[in-house]
Amino acid sequence: MAKRLIPTFNRVLVEKIIPPSKTTAGILLPEKSSKLNSGKVVAVGPGMRDKVGNLIPVGVNEGDTVLLPDYGGTQVKLADKEYHLYMDDDILGTLHD
Amino acid sequence: MAKRLIPTFNRVLVEKIIPPSKTTAGILLPEKSSKLNSGKVVAVGPGMRDKVGNLIPVGVNEGDTVLLPDYGGTQVKLADKEYHLYMDDDILGTLHD
Amino acid sequence: MAKRLIPTFNRVLVEKIIPPSKTTAGILLPEKSSKLNSGKVVAVGPGMRDKVGNLIPVGVNEGDTVLLPDYGGTQVKLADKEYHLYMDDDILGTLHD
Amino acid sequence: MAKRLIPTFNRVLVEKIIPPSKTTAGILLPEKSSKLNSGKVVAVGPGMRDKVGNLIPVGVNEGDTVLLPDYGGTQVKLADKEYHLYMDDDILGTLHD
Amino acid sequence: MAKRLIPTFNRVLVEKIIPPSKTTAGILLPEKSSKLNSGKVVAVGPGMRDKVGNLIPVGVNEGDTVLLPDYGGTQVKLADKEYHLYMDDDILGTLHD
Amino acid sequence: MAKRLIPTFNRVLVEKIIPPSKTTAGILLPEKSSKLNSGKVVAVGPGMRDKVGNLIPVGVNEGDTVLLPDYGGTQVKLADKEYHLYMDDDILGTLHD
Amino acid sequence: MAKRLIPTFNRVLVEKIIPPSKTTAGILLPEKSSKLNSGKVVAVGPGMRDKVGNLIPVGVNEGDTVLLPDYGGTQVKLADKEYHLYMDDDILGTLHD
């Protein structure tokens, strides 16, 4: 069951980042630091075609850390791990340190 | 009644994969391994025309193993076997080992 | 009243195939063999124009056996025979032996 | 008040054909022969412009006998006679003997 | 307050024609002769731009007698006289003697 | 707080004209003369892009007296003065003496 | 958690300006001076593609003071600071002194 998914069109497969609720030293983190709904892009589709047939590449790349909308996305379970599929224009932005 | 269906436009004919509920050795599989709603593409349409008349080929190919949405699709019975028709842009992705 | 209808644009005139409920020898057929909602294309329109004015021919041809959606279509009675009109993109596929 | 109407854009002016309920010899016709909702095209508009400004002529011609949808159309009274206006793509087809 | 209005885009300024309820000789007209909802075009906009930026002129001209839809239009009072504004594609046709 | 607003895209900033309810000599005006919902254009956006990327300039100009729709528009307060923002295609026309 | 967000497509990241409720000298400001819903643009996306594949740059720039609609926008918390994401065409205008 260890399947790999290649999304269609402008779909993006994302592994959500679950923020730690305590630090590695064991200190509990306050609730507000866990608010960001983010994820790691693990696969992107080939892109959508525009109205004259050209392929528009997906707006994010594999490996990007992305900010996700609070609603939407399709839950997918691959090899017992949970992922989410989004259209690339539903992704709000990319996160950088 | 052993008819063959060629889908129109960007439609895709899919035979759903019903995951085994126990292994070939007879061991019952836990419920979570049977979650993936997938199928085998048995026929694809010729594609849709874009707004300037060019034919956009269907986004998946015959023989592809595809991830299907939980809702949608039209059930079709051909030669006593059950299939489903999807628009190619409703198919979530292709599955690879 | 024996009129002939030429559909407009991308419309398709279909004569539905009513599956026999018993064989020619009089044996009653089980219910499942009558499930397929199919028809014969008796006339097609000249096609629709795309956004730059080119004519896109209809996606099915006269004489095709087609798979029809369960809902939709407009009933038309011509010369005491019942037909149905569909837009070509509502037709699910063509059936071949 | 004997005005003539030239429809705008892709509009079509139709005079509905009311099927006779008895023959000229006075024999009452069965109800099923009066089912067809048809009309005669008395005027057509100059056509609609496509998205790049070209004029797309109306899909039916003056003098055509047309099959009309059961719903829709705008009733117009000109010189005490009743007509109906349709968009050309609401007209289902042309009828020929 | 004697202002003149130049409509924007594809808007058309119309002065409705109120049909006389009696002839000039004082004879009352039957109700059916007053059914037509028509008007005189007093001003037209410069037109709308199509999807590639070309100006599409308005489909009716100043001075035209037009057939109006029963609903829609925006009432405007200019110099104590009542007018109505319509999009040109809401106007049903032009009336000629 | 004396800020100046430059509207985005095809937005238009309008200062509504409140008709006087009495003349400068103090004579009360009848209600019907105050019916026109008009305003002065104080700023316009750079325009919208059409589907092929060309900039379509706004349909009205700074300084124009415009006829406004009865509903819609966004109220904005700048330097204690009240303005309204409209999309240019919501403006009904320009008023001239 | 000091992440930086680069918005996707035509999205704009805005830090809302909370108007002071009293002056630096401690004088309470009247309520009407705090009405304007404005913000500072802190990041913009690369732009949207039009229907023929060209990139349309975002309509506002980093550093702009913008007028925001009363509704809409997605709240985002980055490094314990609150921001809002808007599509560029939801932003009403830019504010200048």
Side-chain angles (χ1 to χ4, degrees):
Chain A
M1 274 307 212
K3 295 211 151 163
R4 195 166 61 90
L5 176 76
I6 300 176
T8 46
F9 301 99
N10 66 330
R11 287 188 178 84
V12 177
L13 188 69
V14 173
E15 191 185 340
K16 286 208 181 178
I17 294 166
I18 291 109
S21 57
K22 47 183 170 176
T23 64
T24 47
I27 297 156
L28 284 168
L29 290 168
E31 208 191 329
K32 67 181 169 184
S33 59
S34 59
K35 278 264 176 75
L36 208 59
N37 185 16
S38 63
K40 198 105 194 163
V41 174
V42 294
V44 300
M48 280 284 261
R49 292 201 179 266
D50 66 18
K51 295 291 171 79
V52 294
N54 299 318
L55 201 72
I56 303 286
V58 168
V60 293
N61 297 307
E62 214 185 297
D64 281 356
T65 304
V66 289
L67 183 66
L68 301 167
D70 284 341
Y71 301 100
T74 305
Q75 194 184 309
V76 180
K77 202 167 227 165
L78 295 165
D80 285 338
K81 238 170 131 176
E82 196 180 279
Y83 298 90
H84 285 78
L85 274 168
Y86 292 89
M87 301 293 189
D88 70 341
D89 47 10
D90 288 338
I91 288 176
L92 300 173
T94 52
L95 288 159
H96 307 261
D97 290 314
Chain B
M1 275 302 211
K3 296 213 151 162
R4 194 166 62 89
L5 176 76
I6 299 176
T8 46
F9 302 98
N10 66 331
R11 287 188 178 85
V12 177
L13 188 69
V14 174
E15 191 184 341
K16 285 207 182 180
I17 294 166
I18 291 109
S21 57
K22 46 183 171 174
T23 64
T24 48
I27 297 157
L28 284 167
L29 289 168
E31 207 192 330
K32 68 181 168 184
S33 59
S34 58
K35 278 264 176 75
L36 208 58
N37 185 15
S38 64
K40 198 105 193 163
V41 174
V42 295
V44 299
M48 280 285 260
R49 292 200 179 264
D50 66 18
K51 296 291 171 80
V52 294
N54 298 318
L55 201 73
I56 303 286
V58 168
V60 294
N61 298 307
E62 213 185 298
D64 280 356
T65 304
V66 289
L67 183 67
L68 300 167
D70 284 340
Y71 301 100
T74 305
Q75 194 184 307
V76 181
K77 202 166 227 166
L78 295 164
D80 285 338
K81 236 169 133 177
E82 196 181 281
Y83 298 90
H84 285 78
L85 274 167
Y86 292 89
M87 301 293 189
D88 71 341
D89 48 9
D90 288 337
I91 288 176
L92 300 174
T94 53
L95 288 159
H96 308 261
D97 291 313
Chain C
M1 275 303 210
K3 297 214 149 160
R4 194 167 61 89
L5 177 75
I6 299 176
T8 46
F9 301 96
N10 66 330
R11 286 188 178 84
V12 176
L13 189 68
V14 173
E15 191 184 342
K16 285 206 182 181
I17 295 166
I18 291 109
S21 57
K22 46 184 172 174
T23 64
T24 49
I27 296 157
L28 283 167
L29 288 168
E31 205 191 330
K32 69 181 168 185
S33 59
S34 58
K35 277 267 177 74
L36 207 58
N37 184 16
S38 64
K40 198 106 192 161
V41 174
V42 295
V44 299
M48 280 284 261
R49 292 202 179 262
D50 66 18
K51 297 291 170 83
V52 294
N54 299 317
L55 200 72
I56 303 286
V58 168
V60 294
N61 297 306
E62 213 185 298
D64 280 356
T65 304
V66 289
L67 183 67
L68 300 167
D70 284 339
Y71 301 100
T74 305
Q75 195 184 307
V76 180
K77 201 166 227 165
L78 296 164
D80 285 337
K81 234 170 134 176
E82 196 181 281
Y83 297 89
H84 285 78
L85 274 168
Y86 293 89
M87 301 293 189
D88 71 342
D89 48 9
D90 288 337
I91 289 176
L92 300 173
T94 52
L95 288 159
H96 308 261
D97 291 313
Chain D
M1 274 303 209
K3 297 214 149 161
R4 195 167 61 89
L5 177 75
I6 300 177
T8 46
F9 301 97
N10 66 329
R11 287 189 177 83
V12 176
L13 189 69
V14 174
E15 191 185 342
K16 285 206 182 182
I17 295 164
I18 291 110
S21 57
K22 45 183 173 176
T23 65
T24 48
I27 297 156
L28 282 169
L29 288 168
E31 205 191 331
K32 68 181 170 186
S33 59
S34 59
K35 277 269 176 70
L36 207 57
N37 185 16
S38 63
K40 199 107 192 162
V41 174
V42 296
V44 299
M48 280 283 262
R49 291 200 179 264
D50 65 17
K51 297 291 170 84
V52 294
N54 298 318
L55 201 71
I56 304 285
V58 168
V60 295
N61 297 307
E62 214 185 298
D64 280 357
T65 304
V66 289
L67 183 66
L68 300 167
D70 285 339
Y71 300 99
T74 305
Q75 195 185 307
V76 181
K77 202 166 227 164
L78 295 165
D80 284 336
K81 236 171 131 175
E82 196 181 280
Y83 298 89
H84 285 79
L85 273 168
Y86 293 89
M87 301 293 189
D88 71 343
D89 48 9
D90 288 337
I91 288 177
L92 300 174
T94 53
L95 288 158
H96 308 261
D97 290 312
Chain E
M1 273 305 208
K3 298 214 150 161
R4 195 167 60 89
L5 177 75
I6 300 176
T8 46
F9 301 98
N10 67 330
R11 287 189 177 84
V12 177
L13 188 69
V14 173
E15 191 185 340
K16 285 206 181 180
I17 296 165
I18 291 110
S21 56
K22 45 183 173 176
T23 64
T24 47
I27 297 156
L28 282 169
L29 289 168
E31 206 191 331
K32 68 182 170 185
S33 60
S34 59
K35 276 269 178 71
L36 208 57
N37 185 16
S38 64
K40 198 105 192 162
V41 174
V42 295
V44 299
M48 279 284 261
R49 292 199 178 265
D50 65 17
K51 296 292 171 84
V52 294
N54 299 318
L55 200 72
I56 304 286
V58 168
V60 294
N61 297 307
E62 214 184 298
D64 281 357
T65 305
V66 290
L67 183 67
L68 299 168
D70 284 341
Y71 300 100
T74 305
Q75 195 185 306
V76 181
K77 201 166 228 163
L78 295 164
D80 284 336
K81 236 171 131 176
E82 197 182 280
Y83 299 90
H84 285 79
L85 273 168
Y86 292 89
M87 301 293 189
D88 71 343
D89 49 10
D90 287 339
I91 288 176
L92 300 174
T94 53
L95 288 158
H96 308 260
D97 289 313
Chain F
M1 273 306 209
K3 297 211 151 163
R4 196 167 60 88
L5 177 76
I6 300 176
T8 46
F9 301 99
N10 67 329
R11 288 188 176 86
V12 176
L13 188 69
V14 174
E15 191 184 341
K16 286 206 180 180
I17 295 166
I18 291 110
S21 56
K22 46 183 172 176
T23 65
T24 48
I27 297 156
L28 282 168
L29 290 167
E31 207 191 331
K32 67 182 170 183
S33 59
S34 59
K35 276 267 176 73
L36 208 58
N37 185 16
S38 64
K40 198 105 192 162
V41 174
V42 295
V44 299
M48 279 285 262
R49 292 198 178 266
D50 65 17
K51 297 293 171 83
V52 294
N54 299 319
L55 200 72
I56 304 286
V58 168
V60 293
N61 297 307
E62 215 184 296
D64 280 358
T65 304
V66 290
L67 183 66
L68 300 168
D70 285 340
Y71 301 100
T74 305
Q75 194 185 308
V76 180
K77 203 166 226 163
L78 295 165
D80 284 337
K81 237 171 131 176
E82 197 181 279
Y83 298 90
H84 286 78
L85 274 167
Y86 292 88
M87 300 292 190
D88 70 343
D89 47 10
D90 288 338
I91 288 175
L92 300 173
T94 52
L95 288 159
H96 307 261
D97 290 312
Chain G
M1 274 307 211
K3 296 209 150 163
R4 195 167 61 90
L5 177 75
I6 300 176
T8 47
F9 301 99
N10 67 330
R11 286 188 178 87
V12 176
L13 188 69
V14 174
E15 191 185 341
K16 286 207 180 179
I17 295 166
I18 291 110
S21 56
K22 46 183 171 176
T23 65
T24 48
I27 297 155
L28 284 167
L29 290 167
E31 208 191 332
K32 67 181 168 183
S33 60
S34 60
K35 277 264 177 75
L36 208 59
N37 185 16
S38 63
K40 198 107 194 162
V41 174
V42 294
V44 300
M48 279 284 261
R49 291 198 179 267
D50 66 16
K51 297 292 171 82
V52 294
N54 299 319
L55 200 72
I56 304 286
V58 168
V60 293
N61 297 307
E62 215 185 298
D64 280 356
T65 305
V66 289
L67 184 66
L68 300 167
D70 283 341
Y71 301 100
T74 305
Q75 194 185 309
V76 180
K77 203 167 226 163
L78 295 165
D80 285 337
K81 238 170 131 176
E82 197 180 280
Y83 298 90
H84 286 79
L85 274 168
Y86 292 89
M87 301 293 190
D88 70 343
D89 47 11
D90 288 338
I91 289 176
L92 300 173
T94 52
L95 288 159
H96 307 260
D97 290 312

